[in-house]
Amino acid sequence: MTLAKITGTGSYLPKKILGNHDLEKMVDTSDEWIMTRTGIRERRIADEKETTSDLGIKAAKKAMEKAHVKAREIDLILVATSTSDMIFPSTAAYIQHGLAAKNAAAFDLSAACTGFIFGLSVAEQYIKTKRYKAILLIGTEIMSRIVDWTDRKTCVLFGDGAGAVIIQGTDSDEGILTTHTYTDGSYADFLFAPGSRTPTSLQKELAVKKLDVIHMKGNETFKVAVNNMGKVAKEALEKCELTVDDIDLVIPHQANKRIIEAINKKLVIPPEKVFINLQKYGNTSAASIPIALDEALCSNRISQGDYVLLVAFGGGLTWGSSIVKW
Ligand code: COA
């Protein structure tokens, strides 16, 4: 049976660094508070002229190079993002043009910070059914454009970046073994950024009424995140008839060190098996897992035959997991 295999990864982080001490000058916060509550030390901020598609193109080119896949060989471009260049056309359309991937269909997928896992599950189906041979899946975000820079409860958490993977079919037993995705829209108001729900009559007051920025119930989100990430990770293990001892590396969504530590406790997994880079980038939403995956591979944290568990959580609320045999 054909499995879907990740054959190349790439990432791109904007150059500008915004450290906790810089944030101390912007809102009533401290490096100590941010480090203790989140583990984040700094995050990257896109240049004024950079777009979400620009970041995605840079990450994609690296993934394509590693997979030895040319632009014209890509059949589908899937972009997971909550910070699309435009409402339409899709960010995927801009990326398709930017890469000159003339044979690729392209669309965006919205599942907030779980977007990459949802994207994997879609790509997996197209490859397994042999509809497509080569898929470019990208998580790319410019969260800094939808963050309220006067709200200390949210502005310290997010950052910008992009990660990409090429997914192709294989007849070997190495590839995406399983994907699990969930949504519970009854929690929509825990974490959201307004869109076309804003009535026309209020559009002049977008900024005043904070109708154009992220809103979050931090404590409530934290609890649902820990519970559901734990559950969905266990579900993936059971589906593959694996235990945590079989897992070589866990790559969780990089939202908050405390959320990750709570999940480690639930799964009874030692911290050395868990990849964390959120201290450098903060929460880059749909980009966080593909960036971390690329860094884990570049730093030789993953070897052939390893079992890698991916697990994420985000607005929706959404959550999901995947196990990949490398
Ligand atoms: N600097 C200093 N103080 C801050 C602060 C900041 N950046 N942000 C909040 N505070 C204050 C609060 O105002 C509150 O003060 P009060 O007690 O005087 O009212 C106090 O710190 C505690 O706030 P609380 O919200 O209870 O803190 P917390 O321990 O829950 O941590 C989060 C807040 C946001 C870090 C935490 O809830 C969290 O990580 N939630 C999940 C969010 C997330 O990851 N979302 C994305 C999911 S994909």
Side-chain angles (χ1 to χ4, degrees):
M1 189 184 70
T2 304
L3 277 188
K5 184 179 171 67
I6 295 173
T7 54
T9 62
S11 58
Y12 172 77
L13 280 309
K15 302 230 160 10
K16 187 181 167 191
I17 295 174
L18 184 74
N20 291 348
H21 293 297
D22 300 314
L23 280 165
E24 285 173 354
K25 294 172 203 144
M26 297 162 64
V27 287
D28 181 15
T29 191
S30 66
D31 174 53
E32 201 259 327
W33 192 98
I34 303 169
M35 280 302 290
T36 321
R37 304 284 176 128
T38 72
I40 301 164
R41 189 176 297 285
E42 58 192 37
R43 65 288 293 141
R44 300 298 178 94
I45 305 293
D47 181 81
E48 280 279 293
K49 289 186 189 133
E50 278 181 312
T51 62
T52 298
S53 57
D54 291 338
L55 270 54
I57 288 169
K58 287 182 176 154
K61 282 184 174 168
K62 292 182 194 168
M64 288 159 61
E65 204 180 305
K66 280 192 206 145
H68 307 290
V69 164
K70 299 205 167 56
R72 65 172 182 278
E73 293 168 334
I74 299 169
D75 302 305
L76 176 69
I77 299 174
L78 260 175
V79 177
T81 186
S82 299
T83 51
S84 197
D85 285 18
M86 301 274 192
I87 291 175
F88 70 86
S90 65
T91 301
Y94 285 104
I95 292 178
Q96 187 233 30
H97 178 63
L99 292 173
K102 292 190 187 320
N103 299 315
F107 65 91
D108 287 1
L109 180 156
S110 166
C113 302
T114 323
F116 185 77
I117 304 280
F118 274 73
L120 267 190
S121 76
V122 174
E124 186 194 13
Q125 308 313 314
Y126 276 126
I127 295 290
K128 277 183 159 176
T129 55
K130 302 197 179 181
R131 169 79 184 268
Y132 292 128
K133 285 191 179 141
I135 296 178
L136 169 62
L137 168 63
I138 305 171
T140 179
E141 303 279 12
I142 301 192
M143 299 303 284
S144 61
R145 304 246 168 96
I146 60 163
V147 156
D148 176 0
W149 288 105
T150 65
D151 176 15
R152 68 178 184 173
K153 289 186 177 176
T154 51
C155 75
V156 303
L157 303 177
F158 296 96
D160 304 338
V165 298
I166 294 285
I167 302 171
Q168 295 173 286
T170 175
D171 290 326
S172 80
D173 67 345
E174 288 157 3
I176 301 168
L177 302 184
T178 191
T179 52
H180 302 258
T181 48
Y182 289 93
T183 303
D184 187 342
S186 69
Y187 295 120
D189 67 331
F190 278 22
L191 183 53
F192 66 93
S196 67
R197 275 198 175 205
T198 306
T200 319
S201 57
L202 284 179
Q203 280 178 357
K204 280 193 189 131
E205 301 168 77
L206 284 183
V208 181
K209 294 198 183 302
K210 296 191 187 289
L211 294 170
D212 53 355
V213 289
I214 295 176
H215 297 253
M216 186 180 73
K217 294 182 181 171
N219 273 312
E220 291 87 335
T221 305
F222 193 106
K223 283 175 207 146
V224 188
V226 172
N227 268 332
N228 288 319
M229 279 168 94
K231 269 192 219 157
V232 80
K234 283 182 186 162
E235 189 181 310
L237 288 168
E238 277 163 27
K239 176 79 191 302
C240 297
E241 298 179 359
L242 296 170
T243 69
V244 280
D245 295 338
D246 300 314
I247 297 295
D248 298 286
L249 192 67
V250 182
I251 301 187
H253 169 47
Q254 307 286 311
N256 181 319
K257 196 158 175 264
R258 281 161 57 222
I259 294 182
I260 295 174
E261 284 165 355
I263 294 157
N264 296 351
K265 221 168 152 187
K266 265 189 186 284
L267 295 177
V268 198
I269 196 144
E272 59 274 17
K273 276 194 180 184
V274 181
F275 191 84
I276 298 186
N277 65 0
L278 59 80
Q279 67 282 1
K280 297 189 287 183
Y281 309 133
N283 180 348
T284 56
S285 192
S288 97
I289 289 190
I291 293 172
L293 183 60
D294 187 46
E295 288 200 347
L297 283 161
C298 291
S299 56
N300 298 318
R301 294 280 302 271
I302 303 173
S303 309
Q304 194 184 357
D306 277 1
Y307 288 103
V308 181
L309 168 65
L310 312 176
V311 59
F313 184 84
L317 294 177
T318 52
W319 57 96
S321 63
S322 176
I323 293 179
V324 183
K325 186 174 179 193
W326 217 263

